[in-house]
Amino acid sequence: MTLLRIVLGLVVILAIGTAAFIGYAWHSRLDPIDPPAKASLDAKLLARGAELAAIGNCNVCHTAPNGEAFAGGLGIPTPFGTIYSTNITPDPETGIGRWSEEAFSRAMRKGVDREGRHLYPAFPYDHFTLVSDEDNRALYAFLMTRKSVSAKSPANQLPFPFNVRMLLAGWKALFFREGPYLPEPGRPAEWNRGRYLAEGLGHCGACHTPRNRLGAEISDQHFAGAEIENWTAYAIDSGSPAPLPWDAESLAFYLRHGWHDRHGVSRGPMAPVTANLGAASEADVKAIAAYVAEVMGRPSKERLAQGEAALAAARQEREAAPLRRTGETGNGAGEAIFVSACQGCHDGRRPPPFGGLNLHLSTAVNAPNAQNIINVTLYGLPAARGEPSAMMPAYRGVLNENQLVALLDYMRERFSRQPAWTDTRERVSSTLRGERKVPVYRMDGTTHAPPETSMRTAPWP
Ligand code: HEC
Ligand code: HEC
Ligand code: HEC
């Protein structure tokens, strides 16, 4: 009798749980529409939509290499398999031409497509959920007026059970908090604007916050730094490894221009982010910078003093004769390579973005690992197309594994106060073997660099 009651009780609980889950997991299909006439969308809304799309990097993920803008088909590698971005041009068959504004806003807010299927969070709707209805309207208008391209994305390569979209309801129940953004009262309007953009459309945390095993960002390690596409997205919280502490002003300059004279250029997956922010409004970029500077916090006296020391060391090297060997570190092999191959461009005589940063000022040598220097050294910095930009030659095929390890150990010892890296050889060899696949980005992020000739003098005293 009691056993039967327990079993019945369990069945009832299970039934209620399943019904609640299905209620949560199930979304209706929204009716297709005839694509809106372009003339019906006003120019101001479109301009706003273009700026917002730049902040959201929609072009970066929704454009395949050498493909048409927004036509999708880029494979996004995740620990679970490859997920392909979709076509978000107004093509009625393969794009979102038949999506109403309601369907588009629902995708952004809830991560559900027009048919009612759950979308993978490789589409960063865990951030985009914060976007306001008004901004979604502008984004929708912008996308619906792009060139219509007929292109079908390849099928995702996900093993069972990750290919079951219904299970994403469980992921959402655990990790997804639906927006929109609610301004924090008592905070300045610029801070709220910056937070809205950085946490929402700008999805900075998608790369700068570490993820748990189920691919969700770890909330109490917000902006603490992570690895993405085999590049290190440095910490941009109080643990920032930058030798000279960032502030709102330097962040705003870097985010908008893709470089800063005391911090170097933005590389790897950050390069398209800053290239896009160059197209956003100055006020919005300033707001993002003000918010991020606040997350980083005021640097301690000790950090400020270390920054001054780094600047002094850089200044001294700039004044001293170039191409000298000091023998300071006892790593003769590393020093010989640095002095002959690198120092000529990195002694600080020719400032960034066209000259190499003096590495006393480099976040890369102070980072928790050498990966970004490995990437930059092996693949160089390919110049932007058709305009003056930073560039650095590639040393793949020039330096072998032992030489590269010696060079990196030397750079860490000479330019940073941090302890030696311990995983450098493993990183160098797996990158050389192609096991760590490193996407290489052109330096289009520095398109806003000033004309080269005006940059030949040192910017800092
Ligand atoms: C980090 C990469 C990334 C960025 C940035 C990104 N998307 Fe996506 N998006 C994806 C992926 C991947 C999918 C497919 C997800 C899936 O199949 O479940 C997707 C799907 C979508 C969909 C659903 C389309 C469909 O046919 O189901 C819409 C709408 C969309 N994105 C709009 C945008 C907009 C607007 C932006 C910019 C504000 C943007 N995306 C930025 C990766 C991205
Ligand atoms: C697609 C991934 C990605 C996104 C999105 C992204 N970042 Fe980054 N970010 C990186 C990587 C990778 C680096 C390291 C680049 C390098 O070595 O130059 C970086 C570097 C930076 C740096 C330089 C830190 C230093 O000390 O040198 C800052 C500041 C920064 N990001 C801020 C932001 C902000 C603010 C946002 C959101 C608006 C953002 N990032 C979005 C990947 C990303
Ligand atoms: C022809 C000039 C040139 C040579 C030679 C060169 N670089 Fe660079 N390098 C650059 C430029 C330009 C940049 C972009 C500006 C910047 O950020 O330093 C850069 C960037 C870098 C960065 C990123 C610095 C930062 O934190 O912003 C590292 C690390 C680096 N180079 C390492 C090396 C190493 C190691 C060598 C030698 C194997 C080398 N470079 C040789 C021109 C050069």
Side-chain angles (χ1 to χ4, degrees):
M1 186 62 201
T2 22
L3 185 69
L4 188 67
R5 227 188 265 160
I6 292 172
V7 170
L8 271 180
L10 281 177
V11 167
V12 170
I13 290 171
L14 202 70
I16 293 175
T18 312
F21 183 75
I22 290 178
Y24 184 83
W26 187 82
H27 292 276
S28 62
R29 173 175 185 272
L30 296 179
D31 288 335
I33 56 150
D34 290 329
K38 287 191 181 181
S40 71
L41 300 162
D42 87 282
K44 241 180 150 174
L45 191 68
L46 287 178
R48 189 75 199 117
E51 288 182 353
L52 293 167
I55 296 174
N57 288 318
C58 321
N59 58 342
V60 177
C61 287
H62 283 278
T63 309
N66 304 316
E68 300 253 23
F70 303 109
L74 178 75
I76 296 174
T78 75
F80 314 101
T82 303
I83 300 174
Y84 287 89
S85 65
T86 52
N87 180 343
I88 52 170
T89 73
D91 183 62
E93 307 314 323
T94 61
I96 58 167
R98 297 210 174 277
W99 287 42
S100 58
E101 186 188 316
E102 185 191 353
F104 173 79
S105 296
R106 185 175 73 169
M108 295 285 283
R109 182 72 46 83
K110 294 179 190 284
V112 173
D113 75 2
R114 190 181 64 77
E115 299 285 340
R117 287 175 303 214
H118 290 288
L119 292 164
Y120 290 101
F123 167 38
Y125 57 80
D126 47 340
H127 294 272
F128 293 169
T129 186
L130 299 180
V131 177
S132 69
D133 292 341
E134 199 190 338
D135 284 353
N136 276 332
R137 181 162 312 131
L139 280 164
Y140 176 74
F142 172 74
L143 288 174
M144 289 310 238
T145 47
R146 294 312 90 200
K147 183 178 151 200
S148 178
V149 180
S150 171
K152 226 172 143 31
S153 296
N156 293 336
Q157 291 158 1
L158 291 169
F160 180 81
F162 303 115
N163 56 356
V164 182
R165 285 185 182 268
M166 196 62 165
L167 291 182
L168 288 166
W171 188 92
K172 287 179 177 175
L174 287 173
F175 304 117
F176 177 63
R177 298 292 159 266
E178 195 175 317
Y181 180 72
L182 299 173
E184 209 169 285
R187 290 281 199 163
E190 187 183 54
W191 184 90
N192 267 310
R193 178 78 192 151
R195 184 169 182 228
Y196 164 72
L197 290 172
E199 303 297 350
L201 258 190
H203 63 280
C204 316
C207 295
H208 286 277
T209 301
R211 293 174 187 267
N212 65 20
R213 279 206 215 150
L214 289 174
E217 288 167 34
I218 304 171
S219 54
D220 60 4
Q221 294 180 36
H222 182 241
F223 285 180
E227 285 193 55
I228 178 101
E229 300 181 353
N230 292 318
W231 286 84
T232 299
Y234 309 125
I236 51 170
D237 61 359
S238 59
S240 156
L244 279 182
W246 290 94
D247 57 23
E249 211 181 310
S250 53
L251 280 168
F253 189 96
Y254 170 88
L255 292 174
R256 212 165 141 67
H257 299 284
W259 62 280
H260 185 274
D261 58 31
R262 298 179 179 199
H263 293 276
V265 300
S266 95
R267 302 166 300 263
M270 190 64 195
V273 173
T274 48
N276 267 333
L277 288 175
S281 85
E282 194 172 348
D284 280 349
V285 178
K286 270 184 146 173
I288 294 174
Y291 168 69
V292 174
E294 221 233 49
V295 173
M296 288 181 168
R298 258 176 207 283
S300 64
K301 273 209 177 110
E302 195 197 352
R303 253 203 96 198
L304 284 172
Q306 283 172 5
E308 283 306 316
L311 200 55
R315 207 177 274 134
Q316 199 187 0
E317 264 171 36
R318 191 182 64 202
E319 311 311 331
L323 297 181
R324 79 197 198 293
R325 294 174 66 161
T326 64
E328 258 165 41
T329 63
N331 176 349
E335 179 172 58
I337 297 166
F338 186 80
V339 168
S340 55
C342 321
Q343 183 155 288
C345 285
H346 281 282
D347 61 7
R349 294 180 164 236
R350 196 163 168 239
F354 303 114
L357 186 71
N358 181 294
L359 296 170
H360 285 291
L361 305 178
S362 163
T363 302
V365 292
N366 285 291
N369 62 65
Q371 192 65 48
N372 288 7
I373 312 185
I374 297 172
N375 298 350
V376 169
T377 305
L378 290 180
Y379 301 103
L381 299 175
R385 267 176 274 247
E387 53 213 311
S389 76
M391 69 80 59
M392 176 176 142
Y395 291 86
R396 201 176 147 81
V398 178
L399 297 175
N400 66 26
E401 181 180 318
N402 285 339
Q403 290 169 324
L404 190 47
V405 172
L407 171 66
L408 293 163
D409 286 345
Y410 169 79
M411 289 170 70
R412 177 73 161 181
E413 194 179 341
R414 170 156 169 208
F415 296 112
S416 141
R417 293 158 170 262
Q418 306 294 323
W421 287 307
T422 52
D423 57 353
T424 303
R425 184 168 293 276
E426 185 278 313
R427 284 178 182 272
V428 168
S429 69
S430 58
T431 310
L432 280 171
R433 283 200 306 271
E435 276 161 29
R436 281 179 200 269
K437 289 199 177 38
V438 177
V440 180
Y441 293 82
R442 284 185 176 277
M443 283 290 92
D444 295 338
T446 50
T447 46
H448 298 265
E452 179 163 22
T453 44
S454 70
M455 288 301 299
R456 290 189 193 275
T457 52
W460 28 270

